[in-house]
Amino acid sequence: MNDAPPLDRRHRGALALPDCVALVLQGGGALGSYQAGVIDGLSDSGIDVDWVAGISIGSINAAIFAGNPPERRVERLSAFWDKMTSALPSFPIFPNDMVREFVHEWSAGMVLATGVPGFFTPRLVPPNMAMPGTAGALSYYDSAPLRETLDSLIDWDLVNNGPVRLSVGAVDVVSGNFRYFDTAIERLDARHVMASGALPPGLPPVEIDGHWWWDGGLVSNTPLSHVLDNQRTSMLVFQVDLFSAATEPPRTIMDVMAREKEIRFSSRTRQVSDQIMKLRQEREAIRKVLGKLPKDMMQDADVAALAQAAAEQPVNLVQLIYRANAWEGGSRDFEFSARTMREHWDAGRLALEMTMTGAQLVTENVLTGKSAAFDLCPKNGLRRSVHATNH
């Protein structure tokens, strides 16, 4: 076992932070206020984030985070989400889940009919009646208002020259190739964030340098692989997912719609996480075998190449997953009511608080140079989901 890597000793209570802390934000539309709540909790805990990566609504939250100084991030996120929910009334507490579900679906219907302030508006001419090849023929809504919103809330010079790295994922409409726009290699602006969230057929593709881009969630709903593929030092990753892979079996047609969407988006996220941790376990096994070889064999070109392929920096992955309420159906990702937004935000804050109560588990790995994944269980708190690997 190698010595643990040196740490930037940024402690907050029981949590020790490694050289790099990353925040990975999944897509999920209106559910994105849960991510804002997690960011609010991170701010309260004084945890410094060095790299934030997002897909779809996660890219918007990520850009607002990277494009504001620490003391203004929560304020700016609150301004964004308040604007998104300003068209619908703030409903009172409901007597039961049946009534709440009815209002929930009504709110989602209003979004379909009227759009979301500062985000998207319905086109006056339906796309099937628009001239082929025009922007109006490619989507049901116009996302132009989002650019003005982003520019009003984000300092793009800070995004591109500040201390927080930003990565957002999108897919090329013509080639079908997926890529990340990353401030480590290029300058980003509102177009890149809008491209990452341009989910068809609702929103139009976004043109960047002669290429047209759609929502990155069509290919991958988590930027985790991009972050870890470019890892250069010990890392702690907070992955904030908006769809749960496991839940109760559906009982109604609305449950079926909700479950289909959860499986479609969450299964790929879990698959990526599991594959990454499994690969790290396999590399650890390789390193153990190599450690038993005579020193003279380590000079062999094939052995040296294998050693290089198996080398890696430790990572600890904390997975925070939004758990839907019983009244949230298949339209939960486009229900932009103020009350629901605030409940999602509060749930994100609570998830981060619960994580911090179990932070000693993560700290033990960070201090000893191990890798592991952790899940936040609603009843049991933070739990290790994959056996730790040594480095």
Side-chain angles (χ1 to χ4, degrees):
M1 171 180 167
N2 296 328
D3 292 335
L7 295 176
D8 175 2
R9 299 287 184 177
R10 299 174 292 172
H11 286 258
R12 293 297 182 270
L15 185 61
L17 305 182
D19 294 336
C20 180
V21 177
L23 179 61
V24 173
L25 305 176
Q26 187 194 63
L31 298 173
S33 53
Y34 175 83
Q35 297 171 343
V38 171
I39 292 172
D40 193 1
L42 288 170
S43 177
D44 278 354
S45 300
I47 296 175
D48 299 322
V49 174
D50 308 289
W51 186 356
V52 60
I55 296 287
S56 198
I57 195 66
S59 70
I60 294 177
N61 286 328
I64 294 173
F65 183 97
N68 284 282
E71 66 275 11
R72 298 205 67 187
R73 288 169 183 160
V74 174
E75 168 201 330
R76 291 294 192 171
L77 283 167
S78 182
F80 173 80
W81 285 101
D82 284 344
K83 187 169 189 174
M84 296 300 101
T85 58
S86 61
L88 294 173
S90 183
F91 297 104
I93 297 176
F94 299 100
N96 55 54
D97 286 343
M98 184 178 297
V99 175
R100 184 64 192 274
E101 183 173 1
F102 172 80
V103 175
H104 175 73
E105 296 301 330
W106 177 87
S107 299
M110 289 297 294
V111 168
L112 288 177
T114 63
V116 174
F119 197 160
F120 57 85
T121 56
R123 296 193 182 279
L124 295 177
V125 178
N128 57 317
M129 299 178 63
M131 183 69 67
T134 64
L138 302 179
S139 66
Y140 289 99
Y141 301 92
D142 181 2
S143 62
L146 179 58
R147 178 157 194 165
E148 182 178 348
T149 299
L150 294 174
D151 286 342
S152 69
L153 295 173
I154 297 169
D155 180 344
W156 294 107
D157 286 334
L158 182 61
V159 166
N160 291 285
N161 303 309
V164 179
R165 180 176 178 177
L166 173 65
S167 307
V168 298
V171 59
D172 189 305
V173 174
V174 176
S175 69
N177 293 333
F178 182 86
R179 68 156 292 184
Y180 282 93
F181 300 106
D182 195 318
T183 55
I185 58 175
E186 59 201 318
R187 183 174 178 85
L188 270 56
D189 57 41
R191 296 172 303 161
H192 302 89
V193 177
M194 292 174 67
S196 181
L199 183 64
L203 302 181
V206 176
E207 188 270 333
I208 302 174
D209 299 330
H211 293 266
W212 293 91
W213 300 91
W214 268 336
D215 191 307
L218 294 173
V219 175
S220 174
N221 205 33
T222 176
L224 180 63
S225 56
H226 174 70
V227 169
L228 295 186
D229 284 347
N230 292 276
Q231 181 185 4
R232 298 293 180 266
T233 186
S234 58
M235 182 176 285
L236 170 62
V237 180
F238 291 93
Q239 177 171 260
V240 189
D241 295 346
L242 301 178
F243 294 98
S244 175
T247 188
E248 298 295 324
R251 299 178 60 190
T252 68
I253 192 62
M254 294 306 298
D255 292 344
V256 170
M257 293 172 61
R259 188 66 190 133
E260 182 274 334
K261 194 170 291 186
E262 286 176 332
I263 292 173
R264 178 154 40 103
F265 288 117
S266 68
S267 61
R268 284 179 290 177
T269 302
R270 173 60 69 178
Q271 183 181 38
V272 169
S273 303
D274 289 348
Q275 286 179 343
I276 286 172
M277 298 312 297
K278 183 175 183 292
L279 178 60
R280 285 176 176 265
Q281 290 179 318
E282 292 172 349
R283 287 173 176 168
E284 181 194 8
I286 293 173
R287 292 194 297 271
K288 286 181 177 179
V289 172
L290 292 176
K292 298 177 181 179
L293 297 179
K295 289 185 177 181
D296 58 337
M297 286 193 65
M298 298 303 295
Q299 305 303 317
D300 180 85
D302 292 333
V303 174
L306 183 60
Q308 183 176 2
E312 61 189 1
Q313 294 287 339
V315 62
N316 283 280
L317 173 63
V318 177
Q319 302 180 110
L320 306 179
I321 305 172
Y322 175 67
R323 312 287 177 176
N325 296 291
W327 45 266
E328 293 184 275
S331 55
R332 71 184 67 156
D333 55 332
F334 56 92
E335 198 269 81
F336 284 84
S337 71
R339 179 174 177 79
T340 302
M341 179 275 289
R342 180 48 57 186
E343 290 177 348
H344 292 158
W345 186 299
D346 291 344
R349 274 186 57 91
L350 178 60
L352 199 282
E353 291 172 5
M354 292 177 63
T355 299
M356 294 303 292
T357 63
Q360 187 58 37
L361 273 175
V362 183
T363 288
E364 291 171 0
N365 273 19
V366 170
L367 294 177
T368 56
K370 295 180 179 179
S371 291
F374 301 84
D375 284 322
L376 180 63
C377 304
K379 295 182 179 180
N380 300 318
L382 198 65
R383 293 290 183 270
R384 184 178 283 110
S385 59
V386 179
H387 293 299
T389 62
N390 297 326
H391 295 268

